[in-house]
Amino acid sequence: MKAEKISELTTNRLSVYLRCLNALTAENIKTVSSEGLANRFHLNSAQIRKDLAYFGEFGVRGVGYYVEELRNTLTNILGLDKEHRVGIVGAGRLGTALADYYGFKRSNFNVIALFDTSKEKIGRHIGNTKILVYNFADFAETVRQENIDVVVIAVPAEFAQEVYGEVIKAGIKAVLNFAPSSLQAHNNIKLKTVDLTISLESLSYFLAQPQSENSASSGNNNAKHEQPLSRKKQLK
Amino acid sequence: MKAEKISELTTNRLSVYLRCLNALTAENIKTVSSEGLANRFHLNSAQIRKDLAYFGEFGVRGVGYYVEELRNTLTNILGLDKEHRVGIVGAGRLGTALADYYGFKRSNFNVIALFDTSKEKIGRHIGNTKILVYNFADFAETVRQENIDVVVIAVPAEFAQEVYGEVIKAGIKAVLNFAPSSLQAHNNIKLKTVDLTISLESLSYFLAQPQSENSASSGNNNAKHEQPLSRKKQLK
DNA sequence: TGATGTGAAGCGGTTCACAGCC
DNA sequence: GGCTGTGAACCGCTTCACATCA
């Protein structure tokens, strides 16, 4: 009844749960408890229950969750039951690689178009999947014609802000950005940035530390580095 | 003096600060206050000061920070002063795109080798940068010969765990994983996963919500979705 | 005076532990 | 008996506010 904010941490975990449920479905397992899910996939059972509880009461006390049913429910919550139509700006190597990336199709995202400004690329069909490269100058028009609702930015950092502006103007509401550049956020627009530079430099930081125990991390969160000796005394 | 754990959130921000400082250097700006940095790049000044303070006292009260000096300091802290030698497992489109990705070089990461199991690819030089594709069967040996210290996993999800095992066996301490599969974490190994599926499904979730105000997000953290109406009553 | 460095407060997310229900 | 759903405790990160110092 009341308006509730769902943390993106929660929805990210829903994706993970869905992936786990797909694995269970493949094994023909019909029902699973939060404890079972947690043990099998190294999650926390209380967190699973709490995440799901934001959206409804899907479990049966004394039993657990019905795998197939929960799978459908999560698919609906995440909006993966509807097709999304993707345009990729930047037909360089990264853009091309993404156009062919199978993971898109699995989540019901279809790459419809590439966009570039290079005369040599415009009008050609690129990649294994032979996606047509449109002129970025015709971006808004193509978005409308092709019903594109998701845009991927795969251009060099210096052009990202400008491209982002055009994307917003064309009425796009969801953007996945690969340029290492913090774009000016907009209301009502979902902007998700995948910053490879930060990921790399995090690895570099780790390698630069005098090796100590602990320090594994898979997700995006809560990870800790070990910092064995404060540098204050050394550097001051 | 005391051992301190540095949050990865902090080191990620150090990367951002370094990027900002590079921009200031390019503009020939010599000194900057935390307030100045914060306003210019939409950060929080207290956070900047606190993050830096974990590593030493780099500022001058009443003045701020010397751009060039802080830039060098952060470069050192993040270990970007030393070359890292990268091997990419999986010479498919994603692996190839990454091999050519200019962002690696900017952070002093040099892609030395690609690895694959496909007979057609082994022995060929791939991509713009003509990186040699090695047989993945010779992985450990090549790692040793070429002094590889960072590995990127760019193989399909079903092979990721197996590849990860081999990577660990070869003594690699830092891994960047692009497979949408939660790998069994290891002590002493830094594993960073870039999960495009989760990013996509987060966009999908957003688009599936009846549009409301707020909801911009650039970083990986703290983002909120709007959930206008709890589904409990509807679904129960 | 002006900006740092930092204890304290605030806030949000995770985990605990148990009442409630099948 | 067993497992969910959830208030309460806990924990860690962020922000505030100010004493400190060039």
Side-chain angles (χ1 to χ4, degrees):
Chain A
M1 196 58 104
K2 67 181 188 301
E4 255 186 300
K5 298 244 186 164
I6 303 295
S7 160
E8 193 167 323
L9 297 171
T10 294
T11 61
N12 286 351
R13 283 190 298 266
L14 294 188
S15 290
V16 174
Y17 304 154
L18 181 55
R19 194 181 285 166
C20 295
L21 291 169
N22 286 333
L24 294 180
T25 300
E27 295 179 37
N28 209 31
I29 291 168
K30 298 301 184 192
T31 169
V32 68
S33 68
S34 61
E35 190 77 23
L37 258 184
N39 292 338
R40 189 95 187 287
F41 300 98
H42 316 102
L43 307 166
N44 178 296
S45 65
Q47 183 139 72
I48 295 173
R49 294 198 298 279
K50 193 145 256 193
D51 285 337
L52 296 177
Y54 285 123
F55 298 94
E57 308 201 350
F58 307 124
V60 181
R61 288 160 204 244
V63 177
Y65 302 88
Y66 293 103
V67 173
E68 190 61 22
E69 186 187 310
L70 188 55
R71 207 168 72 99
N72 291 333
T73 303
L74 291 184
T75 300
N76 287 332
I77 291 174
L78 290 171
L80 302 176
D81 49 338
K82 304 193 272 293
E83 183 202 30
H84 292 295
R85 296 171 66 83
V86 180
I88 299 177
V89 183
R93 293 219 159 245
L94 185 58
T96 308
L98 291 171
D100 284 338
Y101 182 58
Y102 186 65
F104 278 109
K105 286 208 189 62
R106 287 236 245 159
S107 296
N108 215 352
F109 284 69
N110 283 311
V111 178
I112 301 299
L114 282 157
F115 293 91
D116 211 296
T117 51
S118 150
K119 283 268 156 57
E120 281 108 60
K121 288 175 181 166
I122 294 167
R124 295 181 59 179
H125 293 264
I126 276 191
N128 295 333
T129 41
K130 303 294 176 205
I131 310 281
L132 178 59
V133 181
Y134 290 80
N135 190 340
F136 184 62
D138 305 330
F139 179 75
E141 194 188 330
T142 310
V143 161
R144 198 163 34 75
Q145 277 172 5
E146 298 292 340
N147 268 306
I148 290 170
D149 63 344
V150 173
V151 165
V152 174
I153 297 182
V155 300
E158 57 267 38
F159 304 123
Q161 184 66 55
E162 183 193 337
V163 165
Y164 185 57
E166 293 299 315
V167 169
I168 301 305
K169 266 199 242 165
I172 293 293
K173 295 280 185 268
V175 177
L176 185 61
N177 170 44
F178 284 89
S181 125
S182 45
L183 302 178
Q184 182 61 45
H186 261 258
N187 267 6
N188 262 15
I189 312 294
K190 184 74 181 178
L191 169 62
K192 190 109 187 176
T193 294
V194 175
D195 196 319
L196 296 184
T197 302
I198 289 177
S199 298
L200 280 178
E201 296 187 353
S202 176
L203 294 182
S204 178
Y205 173 80
F206 175 79
L207 290 172
Q209 300 314 113
Q211 287 310 0
S212 53
E213 311 89 272
N214 130 314
S215 275
S217 128
S218 56
N220 4 10
N221 235 202
N222 283 81
K224 284 282 186 306
H225 299 285
E226 185 80 25
Q227 166 72 350
L229 190 63
S230 164
R231 302 187 189 196
K232 284 185 188 180
K233 302 305 182 294
Q234 301 169 42
L235 295 177
K236 190 54 193 307
Chain B
M1 194 58 105
K2 66 180 189 303
E4 256 187 298
K5 299 246 188 161
I6 304 295
S7 161
E8 193 167 322
L9 298 171
T10 294
T11 61
N12 286 350
R13 282 190 299 265
L14 294 188
S15 290
V16 174
Y17 303 155
L18 181 54
R19 194 179 286 166
C20 297
L21 291 169
N22 286 334
L24 294 180
T25 300
E27 294 179 38
N28 209 30
I29 291 167
K30 298 301 185 193
T31 168
V32 68
S33 67
S34 60
E35 191 76 20
L37 258 184
N39 292 338
R40 189 96 187 286
F41 299 98
H42 317 102
L43 308 167
N44 178 296
S45 66
Q47 183 140 72
I48 295 172
R49 294 198 298 278
K50 193 143 256 194
D51 285 337
L52 296 177
Y54 285 122
F55 298 94
E57 308 200 349
F58 307 124
V60 181
R61 287 162 204 241
V63 177
Y65 302 88
Y66 293 104
V67 173
E68 189 61 23
E69 186 187 310
L70 188 56
R71 206 167 73 99
N72 291 333
T73 303
L74 292 184
T75 301
N76 287 331
I77 291 174
L78 290 172
L80 301 176
D81 50 338
K82 304 193 273 291
E83 183 203 28
H84 292 295
R85 296 172 66 84
V86 179
I88 298 176
V89 183
R93 293 219 157 245
L94 185 58
T96 308
L98 292 170
D100 284 337
Y101 183 56
Y102 186 65
F104 278 109
K105 286 206 188 65
R106 286 235 245 158
S107 296
N108 214 351
F109 284 68
N110 282 311
V111 178
I112 302 298
L114 282 157
F115 293 92
D116 210 298
T117 51
S118 150
K119 283 269 156 56
E120 281 108 60
K121 288 175 182 167
I122 295 167
R124 296 180 61 178
H125 293 263
I126 276 190
N128 295 334
T129 42
K130 302 294 175 204
I131 309 282
L132 179 59
V133 181
Y134 290 80
N135 190 340
F136 184 63
D138 305 329
F139 179 74
E141 195 187 331
T142 310
V143 162
R144 198 163 31 75
Q145 279 172 4
E146 298 291 341
N147 269 307
I148 289 169
D149 63 344
V150 173
V151 165
V152 174
I153 297 181
V155 302
E158 56 266 39
F159 304 122
Q161 185 66 56
E162 182 192 339
V163 165
Y164 184 58
E166 293 299 316
V167 168
I168 302 304
K169 266 200 243 168
I172 293 293
K173 296 280 186 266
V175 177
L176 185 61
N177 171 45
F178 284 89
S181 125
S182 46
L183 302 178
Q184 181 61 45
H186 262 257
N187 268 6
N188 263 14
I189 312 293
K190 184 75 182 178
L191 170 62
K192 190 108 188 176
T193 294
V194 175
D195 197 318
L196 296 184
T197 301
I198 289 176
S199 299
L200 280 179
E201 296 188 351
S202 176
L203 294 183
S204 179
Y205 173 80
F206 174 78
L207 290 173
Q209 299 315 112
Q211 287 312 0
S212 54
E213 309 88 274
N214 127 313
S215 274
S217 130
S218 58
N220 3 11
N221 234 201
N222 282 81
K224 284 282 186 304
H225 298 287
E226 185 80 25
Q227 167 72 352
L229 191 63
S230 164
R231 301 188 190 197
K232 282 185 188 179
K233 300 306 180 294
Q234 301 168 41
L235 296 175
K236 189 57 195 306

